[in-house]
Amino acid sequence: QLEKDRAAAAAKAEAELEKKRREKEREEEMERAADAALRADVQTALERSVGVAAEEAAAFERERLELERALSLSLEAEEVAKKELVDAIERDTSEASSEASLEETAALQPEREPAGVDAAEPTEAEAEA
């Protein structure tokens, strides 16, 4: 009977050990599954972050190109405006110079009789004198 009790106790202990081993395996399997799920979640989050960052980078690049184009157009318009201003100043200077030259030439020429007046005939003031 003692041997049967020992065998039964050994079998019971063996069953307990097997039960604990299975529980430990289940816990380890659950930990591995939780780790795998966590890694998958982290990978998904990283991919989303990388995707969002790539979209933001593309948006920043588009904005930079738009600003660069706007700056270029602005500089081009500024150059056109400068050229028009220089041309207008040169035109005004040339016109003023021409007018001054004409006035100077007119001042140097003797006074002429108005058209239709005969220089041979004395004016009323000259006839009275």
Side-chain angles (χ1 to χ4, degrees):
Q1 180 67 28
L2 189 59
E3 206 160 298
K4 282 184 182 179
D5 289 343
R6 279 188 195 156
K12 187 176 178 184
E14 183 73 27
E16 276 298 313
L17 283 173
E18 183 64 24
K19 182 179 173 186
K20 286 181 181 180
R21 186 184 61 74
R22 278 191 234 125
E23 283 179 14
K24 187 176 179 181
E25 282 179 359
R26 255 187 263 122
E27 287 175 4
E28 289 174 353
E29 183 63 32
M30 288 173 56
E31 283 181 21
R32 284 192 295 272
D35 286 347
L38 180 60
R39 279 192 298 275
D41 289 346
V42 167
Q43 183 65 32
T44 301
L46 285 172
E47 288 171 359
R48 286 181 183 155
S49 293
V50 168
V52 167
E55 289 173 11
E56 287 177 354
F60 286 138
E61 180 63 12
R62 283 190 302 273
E63 185 176 349
R64 185 191 68 78
L65 290 172
E66 288 174 11
L67 289 171
E68 191 174 277
R69 189 174 69 228
L71 177 61
S72 176
L73 291 173
S74 177
L75 291 173
E76 190 177 303
E78 185 179 342
E79 286 299 318
V80 168
K82 280 182 185 177
K83 184 179 180 335
E84 289 175 353
L85 182 60
V86 167
D87 289 348
I89 290 171
E90 287 175 354
R91 214 174 21 257
D92 289 350
T93 303
S94 176
E95 288 173 3
S97 176
S98 293
E99 287 175 12
S101 178
L102 287 174
E103 289 174 3
E104 192 175 295
T105 302
L108 293 175
Q109 291 181 354
E111 288 188 35
R112 294 190 176 162
E113 295 293 326
V117 175
D118 191 359
E121 294 179 21
T123 61
E124 287 180 28
E126 290 175 346
E128 290 178 10

